[in-house]
Amino acid sequence: MKRIRGKGRGWVFTPKHFLDFGSRGAVDMAISRLAQSNAIRRIGRGIYDYPRLHDTLGALSPDPAVLADALAVQTGDKLAPSGATAANQLGLSTQVPARASYATSGRTRVGKAAGRSLTLRHSRAPVLDQASDTANAVLQALAQLGRKDVDADVIQRLAARVDDADMKQLLQARPAMPGWMGDVILKIGSLHNG
């Protein structure tokens, strides 16, 4: 419970977050006891949260991004914001997706927990492991726009959004990208450095 409290209210987790404490069976038993005592809440199969509380509404639903992170830990897949969400986050689109959707390195599916549905779509662009959200958002936004709609303005906007660490991650990942996307990354890098 100390680790859970340390993460704060709103944290969503799976038993995999606690495997350093002991065997999977022991971890499952401890989490089950915490859920039965209402210290935590079971929100899906193998997914729990330490819910945020509201004075009037009681326990609130978890944030979709935090829920998505827990699903990624549970499945071992890498996740990034979907193309439409990424384009919005990077200022390339004013359209705000109505539903939470994420690009995944795994198979396409709908994850359900806490009364929420999260769409996880297999990504055409690579989802980079250990990369920043911004670096992954750039790749997903490029995939969403497609080769024909990536112009000098888009390249300039993306160059202004990435920092040096993002650029390094994107350049290192070029071999995993479609050729046209790797070329766009080079153009972004030349503007970023220039």
Side-chain angles (χ1 to χ4, degrees), residues 107-127:
R107 63 183 173 79
T108 298
R109 65 192 180 285
V110 175
K112 294 183 180 179
R116 289 186 180 260
S117 292
L118 293 177
T119 303
L120 308 174
R121 295 192 197 292
H122 180 75
S123 176
R124 295 176 295 168
V127 179

Side-chain angles (χ1 to χ4, degrees), residues 91-158:
L92 300 176
S93 167
T94 56
Q95 203 170 19
V96 179
R99 288 187 179 186
S101 178
Y102 294 85
T104 179
S105 58
R107 63 183 173 79
T108 298
R109 65 192 180 285
V110 175
K112 294 183 180 179
R116 289 186 180 260
S117 292
L118 293 177
T119 303
L120 308 174
R121 295 192 197 292
H122 180 75
S123 176
R124 295 176 295 168
V127 179
L128 306 180
D129 199 16
Q130 306 298 324
S132 71
D133 288 345
T134 302
N136 271 313
V138 166
L139 294 179
Q140 298 309 315
L142 290 175
Q144 172 80 11
L145 293 170
R147 180 189 323 206
K148 294 178 187 147
D149 289 329
V150 177
D151 57 15
D153 180 55
V154 168
I155 291 169
Q156 194 164 11
R157 286 184 190 200
L158 292 176

